[in-house]
Amino acid sequence: MYSNRKTVPPSPLRRLPLAVAVAMVMCAPQAWAQDAAQDGEKKDARTLDTITVTAQKREENLQKVPISLQVLGNTQLEQQNISDFDDYAKLIPSLTYGTAGGGVFSGPGFVQVYMRGVASGGDGNHSGSQPSAGMYLDDQPITTIQGALDIHMYDIERVEALAGPQGTLYGASSQSGTVRIITRKPDPEAFSAGYSVEANGIDGGGFGHVLEGFVNIPVSDRAAVRLVGWQKHDAGYVDNIRGTRTYPTSGITDDNADVAEDDYNTADTMGLRGALRFNLNENWTITPQLIAQKQKAYGSAGIDPNTGNPAMGYDVASGDMAVKHFYPESSDDRWHQAALTVEGKIGNFDLTYVFSQLKRDVDSESDYSDYGFWYDTLAGYGAYFCGDIDLDTFTCDPSTFVSPAQYIQATDGYKRTSHELRVSSPQENRLRMVAGLFWQQQSHDIFQRYKVDGLSSDIQVNGWDDTIWLTAQQRKDRDEAVFGELSFDITDAVTVSGGMRWFKANNSLKGFFGYGDGFSGSTGVSQCFSDEEFHGAPCTNLDKRVSERDSLGKVNVTWQIDDTKMVYATWSEGYRPGGINRRGTLPPYTSDFLTNYELGWKTTWGNAFVFNGALFRADWEDFQFSYLGQNGLTEIRNANSAQVDGLELDLSWAASYNLQISGGFAWYDAKLTRNYCGWIRPDGEPETVCPPGTLNPNGDPVDGPQAASGTRLPITPRFKGALNARYTWDLAGGEAYWQASASHVGNRRVDLREAETALLGTLGAYTTADVSVGWSKDSWSIDLFLKNAFDERAEMSRFAQCAALTCGNQPYTVIAQPRTFGIRFSQSF
C-alpha cells in the first residue's frame, strides 16, 4: 500500500551505507601504513598468471590469440563480487547493453547485448531483430529471439568477451562479437564444496539477500557430478506513488490506490545448474548438463523523470525514483536448458559434438495506460471507448464512456535447439584446421492481449472480452551452416589464417494480429484468409516467410615478435539474419552485414605488465533498425549504412606483491554514412535521397532525412573505461584486502532519428565506484562491499510505451541500482 515515507526524515539505518562508505575509504591509508611497517619483510615480486581460453574453439594462451579478447577469470569474478550481467558488463569496455522483458514489461530477465558500437537502438523490442552480439554458456548459445539469458554468476571459471565479427566460427548473431560464460566442470579427482551467504541493503530502498552453494562429488576415478544452486531476493528501490489521471475526452479519472507501493520493483530468483562428467577412457569424455531458473519480478525498472514536478501531476515529496502506474506489473519467467558435450579423438584429430535445447516461458502483465492517455489527449482516442457504440457512425453514447486506459496480459514461449559437430587438427602442426557443421531452430510463440475494462462487445476482438487488440503468432528462425578455419605457419614467427562460413537462414511468421470485426483496415479480422487459430485467435491473417543463402570470410596475419609480444591484422565479416515484420503489411527486412578491418597487439613486459590493444574500422551495410511504429508495434527496416571507428586498450599490472591494477578502455566513433529516410524504394533498397518537399511512398510530404549522414549511432558512448585496484596484506594469520573500482560511461543517444531524439533526449555520462574490504583465513572469508558508493543516478536506458512522437513526453529512464551496502560470508571445503 501507499505510504508517505519520503516526507519524513530518513532513519539512521538508511544513513548506514554512506557511513560505511566513508569508513571503507578511510581503511586505505591504514593499509598502506601496514605495508610500510612491514618494510623489512621482503617478498618476491608477484607475476601475472597465464590465462587459458577457448575463444577459437581450442585451448590457447590468451596472449597468443590474435583477436581483441577480454577475460574475467574466476578469481576476478569472485573478488569483484560479480553476480549477474550488469556486474561484469561495466568491466568490459566493448560491451554496452539494455534491459527489457517479455511484452512491454520492463523488469529484469532479458539482456540486450551490444558490442563495439554496433547498435541502432531498439533491437530488443518484442520479437524484433535477432541480437547483433551472441552469448554462450560454455559451447551452447543462450541468445533467444528476445534477448540473452541473464546467467547467475556463481561457480564460473571465466567470462570471455570476443570483439567481433565472430561470424566464421560463431555465425548468426555474433556480428559484433560474442560473450562466452565458461562454467567450472565436474572433477573426478577430489571432493569439493562451498557456499556463500550475502545480505544487502539499498540506500532509500529495501533489503535483499543471496544464498548460493556448490558441491563436486567424485562418483569414481573417471566420473563426477557438480551441482550449483542459488536463491536470491533483489530489493526494490522504485516507488509506484499514489495518484490520479483524468482522460480529457470523457473526463473519467483513474486512481491507482490499489497498486501504489514503495520499493515495488523486486525480484525473487532461484536456480540450479548440474553437470555430469564421464571420462570413458583417456580419449573420450561425455558431459551432460542442465541449468534451470525461475524468476518472479514485479514493478518497473524505469523511473519517470517528471517525479517531483507538480506541473506533471506529482507531489514535490515523491522523490527522484518513482512512477505513477495504474495496473499491476509483473513477470513470471521460467526456463531450462539441457546440453550434451562429447569430446574425443579420432586418430590425432580432436572431435567435439555439442547439443543444446532451451525452453523458456514468460507470463507478464504490464501497465499500458500511457498509450491510452496520450492518444486520447492528442487524438481524442477516448471517444471510441464505451460500453455502447454505434458502428454505423462509430460514435459512443457518452453515458457509457469507459476509461481508455490499457493494460497487457502476455505469454511468450521460446524454444531453441542447436547441434554443432566440429573437428580440429593437432595444434602443434604447422598446418592446422578447425571445421564443423551447425544447425539450429528457434521459435517464439507470441500472445499479447491489450485490454480495456468495460469495452463494448461490438469492438472487442471476436471471442475475447475487453480486448481491443490481440497478437497471437508463431515465429520460427532456422539456421544451417558449414564452417572452417585454416592456419599455416609461414615461419616460426609469422602465421596466416583464413576462414569461411556458408549459411542458409529461414524465417517465418504466422498467426493473427489486430482488431475485431468492428474495425476495418489493414489488420484484424477484416484481413483474415484462414480459419486456422493460434492461441484461440479468431483466425489467421498473417503467413509469410523468407529464405536466404550467403557466405562469410575471415583473413588474419599474425607476427609473433618474441615469446611475449605479437601484432596481428584481420579482415573479417559477420551477419544477422533477416525476417518478417509482426505488422504483416510491411515488407520483410533483409540480412545486414558487418565488415571489419583491425590491427591489434598483445604484449607482456617482465611477466608483471600486460598491455593489449586493437584499432579497427567496421562498415555496417543495410543495418536493421527496429522502432515502435503505428499502434505501438515493432517495425524493422533496413537503414542504409554506418561506420564504426574504434580503439580498445586492456592492461594488467602487478605493481608489487601486494598491489594489482587492471583496466580496460574503449573509444568509438559510430555514425551513419548515408541518410536514413525511413522508407524502401521499389527495388528493395533503402532510400537515401529525401530532400524537403518530396513525397514518401504513402504520399506524405517529407521534411528531410529522419537521420542525416554523420548522425551518431545510439546506445554506445564515445568513451567507456573501467579501472580496478586491489591491495592485500597479512593480518592476524590470514589475508586482508581493500579494493576499489571505477567505471565511466559517456553520454549516449537514445534513438537514431532526430525528431525522437529531440523528445527522448540523451542519456547522460556517469561514473560509478565500488569499494570493498575483507579478510580470509584458511577455508573461509568475509567481505564488506559498497556498490555505486557515491549513489550516482546512472542512466542505463530510456523507453516509452508508444512511439516517441506520440508518447515522447512520457519517457522512462532505467537507472543503475542506487548505493548498495552488503556483507558476504563464504566458505569452501
Side-chain angles (χ1 to χ4, degrees), residues 505-584:
N506 294 276
N507 178 281
S508 64
L509 188 64
K510 185 176 183 179
F512 175 87
F513 72 107
Y515 300 106
D517 59 9
F519 292 85
S520 60
S522 59
T523 66
V525 175
S526 65
Q527 299 299 308
C528 287
F529 53 78
S530 168
D531 292 333
E532 186 176 359
E533 297 181 358
F534 284 84
H535 296 293
C539 51
T540 296
N541 61 10
L542 173 64
D543 187 0
K544 290 187 176 182
R545 63 193 66 240
V546 293
S547 178
E548 53 192 336
R549 300 169 182 257
D550 216 317
S551 62
L552 303 169
K554 175 183 177 181
V555 177
N556 172 272
V557 178
T558 301
W559 176 28
Q560 192 73 45
I561 301 171
D562 59 35
D563 194 50
T564 61
K565 300 173 184 63
M566 66 110 103
V567 294
Y568 66 88
T570 300
W571 169 86
S572 56
E573 294 180 306
Y575 88 106
R576 181 169 48 165
I580 304 297
N581 271 286
R582 286 177 61 206
R583 183 185 296 281

Side-chain angles (χ1 to χ4, degrees), residues 248-250 372-385 394 401 404:
T249 298
S250 63
F373 176 77
W374 288 107
Y375 263 105
D376 188 27
T377 300
L378 300 174
Y381 190 61
Y384 315 110
F385 289 83
F394 220 78
F401 274 139

Side-chain angles (χ1 to χ4, degrees), residues 96 282 349 352 381 429 455 519 586 620 674 720 793:
T96 52
E282 293 182 355
F349 281 71
T352 303
Y381 190 61
N429 289 358
L455 189 66
F519 292 85
L586 296 177
W620 197 12
R674 285 185 289 176
K720 181 183 178 184
R793 292 292 182 266

Side-chain angles (χ1 to χ4, degrees), residues 337-658:
Q337 177 164 280
L340 175 68
T341 303
V342 179
E343 301 167 287
K345 283 185 174 295
I346 299 179
N348 62 349
F349 281 71
D350 294 322
L351 183 142
T352 303
Y353 167 71
V354 180
F355 161 81
S356 69
Q357 186 171 64
L358 170 68
K359 187 177 187 300
R360 184 176 198 176
D361 295 291
V362 184
D363 298 324
S364 62
E365 52 184 355
S366 310
D367 180 287
Y368 204 52
S369 58
D370 288 354
Y371 181 93
F373 176 77
W374 288 107
Y375 263 105
D376 188 27
T377 300
L378 300 174
Y381 190 61
Y384 315 110
F385 289 83
C386 57
D388 182 14
I389 189 170
D390 185 339
L391 292 180
D392 292 331
T393 61
F394 220 78
T395 57
C396 283
D397 180 347
S399 65
T400 66
F401 274 139
V402 298
S403 169
Q406 294 189 30
Y407 57 99
I408 304 172
Q409 295 174 342
T411 299
D412 292 274
Y414 304 89
K415 293 180 181 179
R416 178 171 188 159
T417 302
S418 66
H419 302 264
E420 179 172 308
L421 178 67
R422 66 177 183 269
V423 61
S424 57
S425 62
Q427 191 172 352
E428 64 272 13
N429 289 358
R430 185 177 183 184
L431 178 66
R432 52 197 177 275
M433 52 80 71
V434 175
L437 304 172
F438 179 79
W439 177 91
Q440 77 169 358
Q441 176 173 295
Q442 52 183 328
S443 64
H444 181 188
D445 286 333
I446 310 165
F447 174 81
Q448 288 187 311
R449 184 182 181 186
Y450 294 72
K451 299 185 66 176
V452 176
D453 290 336
L455 189 66
S456 170
S457 60
D458 292 321
I459 57 174
Q460 295 172 357
V461 175
N462 302 32
W464 293 87
D465 292 343
D466 295 334
T467 303
I468 185 66
W469 179 284
L470 185 70
T471 299
Q473 300 171 341
Q474 184 179 70
R475 170 177 170 172
K476 290 185 177 181
D477 292 65
R478 306 169 185 84
D479 302 278
E480 303 170 16
V482 178
F483 64 90
E485 287 195 359
L486 191 67
S487 299
F488 178 69
D489 297 332
I490 299 175
T491 69
D492 290 342
V494 179
T495 300
V496 61
S497 302
M500 290 288 292
R501 190 180 189 97
W502 295 266
F503 66 87
K504 177 182 178 182
N506 294 276
N507 178 281
S508 64
L509 188 64
K510 185 176 183 179
F512 175 87
F513 72 107
Y515 300 106
D517 59 9
F519 292 85
S520 60
S522 59
T523 66
V525 175
S526 65
Q527 299 299 308
C528 287
F529 53 78
S530 168
D531 292 333
E532 186 176 359
E533 297 181 358
F534 284 84
H535 296 293
C539 51
T540 296
N541 61 10
L542 173 64
D543 187 0
K544 290 187 176 182
R545 63 193 66 240
V546 293
S547 178
E548 53 192 336
R549 300 169 182 257
D550 216 317
S551 62
L552 303 169
K554 175 183 177 181
V555 177
N556 172 272
V557 178
T558 301
W559 176 28
Q560 192 73 45
I561 301 171
D562 59 35
D563 194 50
T564 61
K565 300 173 184 63
M566 66 110 103
V567 294
Y568 66 88
T570 300
W571 169 86
S572 56
E573 294 180 306
Y575 88 106
R576 181 169 48 165
I580 304 297
N581 271 286
R582 286 177 61 206
R583 183 185 296 281
T585 54
L586 296 177
Y589 54 96
T590 61
S591 292
D592 55 8
F593 288 81
L594 187 77
T595 304
N596 180 60
Y597 309 87
E598 181 171 331
L599 178 66
W601 62 92
K602 293 194 171 182
T603 63
T604 304
W605 304 82
N607 290 326
F609 185 73
V610 168
F611 178 59
N612 300 336
L615 184 67
F616 72 92
R617 166 167 289 183
D619 294 325
W620 197 12
E621 292 295 326
D622 297 332
F623 67 85
Q624 296 166 15
F625 175 46
S626 303
Y627 59 92
L628 291 180
Q630 186 181 1
N631 305 116
L633 279 183
T634 299
E635 298 184 5
I636 309 169
R637 299 180 185 273
N638 293 94
N640 298 317
S641 63
Q643 179 179 288
V644 184
D645 294 325
L647 171 65
E648 297 166 345
L649 302 177
D650 186 27
L651 62 87
S652 298
W653 181 30
S656 70
Y657 185 87
N658 303 85

